[in-house]
Amino acid sequence: MTADLSKEGALAGIKVLDLSRVLAGPWCTQILADLGADVVKIERPGMGDDTRHWGPPFLKDADGHDTDQASYFTSCNRNKRSVTVDIASAAGQALLRKMALQADILVENFKTGGLAQYGLDYAALREINPRLIYCSVTGFGHDGPHAQRAGYDLMVQATSGMMSITGRPDDEPGGGPLRVGVALTDLFTGVYASSAILAALHVRSSTGRGQHIDMALLDVGMAILANQASAFLNTGVAPRRQGNTHPSLAPYQDFPTQDGAVLLAIGNNGQFARFCEAAGQPEWAQDARFATNPLRVRHRDLLIPMMEAVTRTRSTAEWIALLEDKAVPCGPINDIGQAFQDDQVKARGLAVSLPRDAGDGIAAIAGVASPLRLADTPPVLRRAPPALGQHTDEVLAEMGLSPQQIALLHANGVV
């Protein structure tokens, strides 16, 4: 799939001023950009977003050699235009206030109160643009005893309890708390933030007023504990790590096969009965110890070894072939390379490539397609993740600055 500048998405005409860095804020603004909003990403001259340097791995040039541009940045910055502005300079602050005056949405992830010194906090910008929807992303929110702390996904995974339920139990080999393999709290914060922004846009359509949105990684980290949090709040018992097993379902885990492992996600009695029939063990479904899910959870120490003895008799592919047409949820445990080779992943077009003409030798950047599938106004892939400052002159010209004014800003190091 390649960029198509001729199409408009659901948010066409919406202007977003993106003052965020790293992952949570940029993930939010990439969602808005995929949906058609014009997102202008503000970056530090000469340096840019921190994630431009978070490598290896690095993007490769046309000859296959590493560049100095990290692939991390590209995961959350497509469809945006990059403009470099020195926020510490008076001229840079004036420029950003002019951008905010024309914007519908501003997203930032500075520390609490960090933008007030530049006159770019919500209170200041609301005075010049009362329609502005201003979304702040912080680690711990704008109030409370830890509001001034810097927030990182790893810290919040630890603080929220997420790591306490991720990994194998302490008494098993490799036991101990683990972080999730991607920055889950950052990503969910970006998703929640985009949802809040869309809600605020809807409210503005009737009131004419924007509002402030306070998104905290800690709040999101606690919210996405989901059933594990509700289990504690309603019983007083803190859940523990239990590897790939599920606290409320059985069998719901990986099982050994002749050549590796197969994942079984059996969520009801009918699925269990169909598995037992296919596995040549129909009596298990009638066994008083395993007849219902609560009983299977209670007696998992008996059931799982019995199942493992059977699953070892076939290969992973043989089990999948046997079970997939019997409505028994199952599948392989892929690495990411294998996942992108999956026929369904290919059929859904989940790997995309966007051409880039930034004069830096990088001809195209690969990424994952947006999972949002709107029938009438689908996400539009218009631009590859930008090179640092790639669109500075273009955006400034659109704001009405003359070539001479733009040249002066460059000469003074403002952009």
Side-chain angles (χ1 to χ4, degrees):
M1 188 180 299
T2 57
D4 187 346
L5 298 177
S6 67
K7 293 184 178 180
E8 294 187 337
L11 296 181
I14 297 295
K15 295 183 178 297
V16 180
L17 182 57
D18 185 2
L19 300 181
S20 68
R21 303 144 293 166
V22 188
L23 186 54
W27 195 258
C28 164
T29 53
Q30 179 171 265
I31 293 171
L32 302 177
D34 283 352
L35 289 172
D38 178 15
V39 177
V40 174
K41 182 179 179 69
I42 304 301
E43 301 190 69
R44 291 174 295 172
M47 288 292 294
D49 192 311
D50 291 347
T51 59
R52 287 187 180 275
H53 315 286
W54 283 11
F58 295 97
L59 298 177
K60 296 186 181 299
D61 61 22
D63 297 322
H65 300 135
D66 279 351
T67 67
D68 61 355
Q69 301 185 51
S71 64
Y72 195 118
F73 174 85
T74 69
S75 69
C76 52
N77 286 292
R78 69 163 170 246
N79 277 338
K80 303 178 186 180
R81 295 192 287 173
S82 173
V83 173
T84 52
V85 178
D86 178 9
I87 195 173
S89 69
Q93 293 159 20
L95 198 59
L96 290 174
R97 281 192 288 272
K98 186 174 182 180
M99 290 182 178
L101 182 61
Q102 300 175 4
D104 297 286
I105 299 160
L106 185 150
V107 179
E108 57 90 8
N109 63 345
F110 285 71
K111 285 185 179 180
T112 297
L115 285 175
Q117 61 183 313
Y118 306 124
L120 297 170
D121 55 309
Y122 176 62
L125 295 184
R126 179 181 55 187
E127 293 298 317
I128 63 172
N129 183 2
R131 291 177 55 81
L132 183 66
I133 295 165
Y134 190 111
C135 180
S136 298
V137 179
T138 60
F140 297 92
H142 287 275
D143 52 20
H146 302 324
Q148 294 299 324
R149 287 185 179 177
Y152 291 89
D153 177 271
L154 180 61
M155 292 170 55
V156 175
Q157 285 200 34
T159 302
S160 67
M162 179 66 73
M163 289 176 64
S164 77
I165 57 171
T166 305
R168 297 190 177 279
D170 289 336
D171 58 356
E172 291 186 7
L178 289 175
R179 70 174 181 87
V180 180
V182 294
L184 191 69
T185 315
D186 275 337
L187 298 173
F188 265 99
T189 300
V191 173
Y192 273 108
S194 67
S195 297
I197 287 168
L198 294 178
L201 274 175
H202 177 69
V203 171
R204 194 185 71 174
S205 68
S206 58
T207 67
R209 295 191 304 274
Q211 59 182 293
H212 184 248
I213 298 169
D214 174 7
M215 294 298 310
L217 269 66
L218 179 64
D219 299 355
V220 172
M222 299 299 294
I224 63 175
L225 293 174
N227 58 296
Q228 298 280 41
S230 64
F232 168 74
L233 292 172
N234 288 285
T235 67
V237 178
R240 301 297 182 186
R241 291 182 301 279
Q242 55 186 84
N244 289 333
T245 65
H246 193 287
S248 305
L249 294 171
Y252 198 93
Q253 63 185 82
D254 57 311
F255 287 88
T257 64
Q258 280 182 348
D259 58 355
V262 66
L263 200 291
L264 294 178
I266 292 175
N268 59 51
N269 297 333
Q271 292 171 356
F272 181 65
R274 291 193 293 275
F275 167 80
C276 295
E277 184 70 29
Q281 306 291 336
E283 68 279 3
W284 289 351
Q286 306 303 318
D287 192 308
R289 298 168 296 178
F290 313 137
T292 67
N293 179 70
L295 289 170
R296 291 192 293 275
V297 171
R298 185 183 309 167
H299 298 292
R300 78 165 81 224
D301 289 346
L302 296 174
L303 175 62
I304 300 307
M306 295 165 59
M307 292 181 63
E308 289 177 338
V310 173
T311 59
R312 286 191 177 96
T313 63
R314 290 183 171 93
S315 69
T316 299
E318 288 171 336
W319 276 113
I320 294 171
L322 178 66
L323 297 175
E324 64 181 352
D325 65 347
K326 297 178 176 62
V328 177
C330 65
I333 302 175
N334 291 328
D335 63 28
I336 293 176
Q338 291 169 328
F340 276 109
Q341 292 303 312
D342 182 271
D343 288 342
Q344 185 66 14
V345 171
K346 291 181 177 179
R348 296 286 286 179
L350 294 177
V352 298
S353 180
L354 294 171
R356 187 167 91 176
D357 183 14
D360 57 3
I362 298 172
I365 297 177
V368 184
S370 169
L372 303 174
R373 303 292 174 111
L374 286 74
D376 295 333
T377 53
V380 180
L381 300 183
R382 295 162 293 160
R383 296 184 178 89
L388 178 61
Q390 180 178 348
H391 305 97
T392 299
D393 291 2
E394 173 183 301
V395 171
L396 295 182
E398 289 175 3
M399 293 171 59
L401 275 70
S402 69
Q404 293 76 19
Q405 290 173 311
I406 295 172
L408 184 60
L409 290 172
H410 280 288
N412 292 333
V414 177
V415 299

